[in-house]
């Protein structure tokens, strides 16, 4: 569960979805809802399964960061979902390549502040995550959420 700073090429997906959303709270909410819906359609998992809830949390955090830190007036963010053999890769692309997440969770906000620790959720739910810039105009923050369900003993 570490961030990867390298330019990461995802494994070959079985299915893929690309959508653009307005850089607003409504856009972020719609992206989260659509990510859950698409996951359940692709996999047959229920909406309240562990993987679906993890996808919801990770998508919410990445899209929230895109509209908060990666927003430029008049520019949208892009949500890409890739169904991999054992995971779902969530990619959120925004128009602010200079506004990158910290290199490690150790660089996140101190415990006495009320915000700035959302990437800890990403770290907890994802097998791996990172940030890439494929051009000079955008950055993509991505995370791979495992499809395995946790079993209680």
């Amino acid at each position: 569960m570490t961030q990867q700073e390298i330019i990461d090429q995802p494994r070959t997906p079985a299915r893929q979805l690309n959508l653009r959303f307005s850089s607003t709270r409504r856009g972020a909410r719609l992206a989260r809802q659509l990510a859950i819906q698409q996951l359940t359609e692709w996999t047959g998992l229920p909406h309240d399964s562990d993987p679906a809830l993890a996808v919801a949390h990770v998508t919410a955090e990445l899209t929230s960061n895109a509209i908060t830190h990666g927003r430029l007036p008049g520019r949208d963010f892009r949500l890409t979902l890739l169904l991999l053999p054992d995971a779902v890769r969530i990619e959120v692309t925004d128009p602010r390549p200079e506004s990158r997440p910290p290199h490690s969770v150790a660089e996140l906000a101190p415990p006495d502040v009320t915000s700035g620790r959302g990437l800890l959720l990403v770290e907890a739910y994802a097998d791996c995550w990172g940030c890439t810039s494929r051009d000079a105009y955008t950055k993509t923050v991505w995370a791979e959420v495992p499809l395995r369900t946790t079993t209680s003993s």
Side-chain angles (χ1 to χ4, degrees):
M1 288 194 224
T2 60
Q3 182 201 25
Q4 297 177 3
E5 187 60 30
I6 60 172
I7 294 181
D8 184 82
Q9 295 297 320
R11 297 170 280 165
T12 303
R15 296 188 182 162
Q16 180 173 342
L17 175 74
N18 288 296
L19 292 170
R20 289 174 56 174
F21 294 90
S22 64
S23 290
T24 62
R25 289 174 35 181
R26 181 173 187 228
R29 184 177 64 249
L30 289 171
R32 177 184 51 81
Q33 291 170 342
L34 190 86
I36 298 166
Q37 182 63 35
Q38 191 62 62
L39 173 73
T40 61
E41 286 181 23
W42 281 344
T43 64
L45 292 169
H47 282 79
D48 62 350
S49 66
D50 289 343
L53 295 174
V55 165
H57 291 305
V58 170
T59 303
E61 178 57 28
L62 297 184
T63 58
S64 175
N65 285 348
I67 67 167
T68 304
H69 307 293
R71 181 178 172 179
L72 285 177
R75 299 281 307 272
D76 298 336
F77 71 87
R78 183 176 66 233
L79 172 70
T80 301
L81 300 175
L82 303 153
L83 181 62
L84 305 172
D86 58 350
V88 173
R89 183 178 171 108
I90 303 159
E91 298 181 350
V92 176
T93 303
D94 68 54
R96 297 277 309 271
E98 74 281 0
S99 177
R100 298 175 68 84
H103 293 293
S104 71
V105 292
E107 296 176 40
L108 295 175
D112 58 338
V113 297
T114 59
S115 65
R117 291 183 298 276
L119 287 175
L120 289 171
L121 287 173
V122 175
E123 177 88 11
Y125 285 114
D127 279 345
C128 55
W129 68 279
C131 181
T132 62
S133 292
R134 295 186 178 116
D135 58 44
Y137 307 104
T138 62
K139 77 166 175 304
T140 300
V141 182
W142 57 268
E144 291 186 7
V145 175
L147 288 177
R148 63 187 176 273
T149 57
T150 59
T151 56
S152 52
S153 307

